[in-house]
Amino acid sequence: MPPDSTATKARLLAAACAEFARHGVAGARVDRIAAAAKANKRLLYVYFGNKCELFDRVVAEAFGQLADAVPFTADDLPGYAGALFDHLTAHPALLRLIAWALLERPGPTAARIADCHPAAEAVADAQARGVVTAALEPADVLALTVGLAGAWSHTAAPLGRRDPDGARRAPARPDSRRAQRRAALTRAMGAATAP
């Protein structure tokens, strides 16, 4: 009976997730993934195919874990956006992995379509019931929600805290800033998606 490969596969996927989050597909190295997983590099190819197929698997699993951690609810898009913001803030490597996926593998994959389709249907249903604005297509509502939830990761750090005259302000407590950003996000989502 061959040995159980479950633990090795899990180590390889975890190591690949960390490597891809840091370096993307082009910069990731299979040797580093294997070394971090304490596994033979050949097993990576046996279990997952090539590096791009491994990346797609890692991204699909990350989206699945995200969906489990932050269940989508079209009836409370501001609440969903706030919960998504909290999760992405707590897991910055996930946000980097998503960014790499959008940059290096921009075409829709079957897994991404399968993940998004139920959410788009839920938005369409909420629109039909008058819970969410019908002025936007369901896909646009989803893009707005996800885009706003991740917006601070891309823009806040370079802008920093400045007074109107351009002088740098003393940094606020991180949890205070996070709460301010979350509140602004949920207000914006409420205004943008109200019927």
Side-chain angles (χ1 to χ4, degrees):
M1 180 169 171
D4 184 8
S5 61
T6 305
T8 303
K9 287 179 182 177
R11 287 194 320 273
L12 283 166
L13 285 170
C17 186
E19 179 76 6
F20 289 134
R22 278 188 218 103
H23 305 286
V25 175
R29 297 293 172 256
V30 173
D31 289 337
R32 287 194 301 245
I33 293 170
K38 296 180 176 27
N40 184 310
K41 177 173 77 169
R42 184 182 61 78
L43 291 176
L44 194 143
Y45 295 105
V46 169
Y47 297 146
F48 304 108
N50 63 40
K51 187 168 70 167
C52 288
E53 290 170 327
L54 174 62
F55 181 78
D56 290 342
R57 169 82 178 267
V58 165
V59 170
E61 289 202 6
F63 275 114
Q65 291 167 1
L66 177 61
D68 290 344
V70 187
F72 181 76
T73 173
D75 287 354
D76 182 16
L77 288 172
Y80 171 74
L84 183 58
F85 170 83
D86 291 340
H87 190 78
L88 294 175
T89 301
H91 300 91
L94 174 60
L95 199 53
R96 287 192 306 273
L97 183 65
I98 292 168
W100 281 118
L102 294 172
L103 286 169
E104 294 187 312
R105 307 283 283 174
T109 65
R112 284 191 216 161
I113 292 169
D115 286 343
C116 292
H117 187 70
E121 286 182 345
V123 170
D125 178 63
Q127 289 172 321
R129 291 182 286 112
V131 177
V132 173
T133 182
L136 295 170
E137 292 293 323
D140 294 334
V141 171
L142 291 174
L144 177 66
T145 305
V146 173
L148 282 176
W152 273 279
S153 67
H154 304 293
T155 58
L159 296 175
R161 289 177 49 92
R162 299 197 179 272
D163 287 325
D165 66 359
R168 288 198 60 80
R169 281 197 248 166
R173 290 189 358 241
D175 51 333
S176 168
R177 291 291 302 278
R178 193 193 64 70
Q180 291 170 350
R181 291 171 177 170
R182 189 185 199 284
L185 164 66
T186 58
R187 281 193 310 273
M189 278 305 304
T193 61

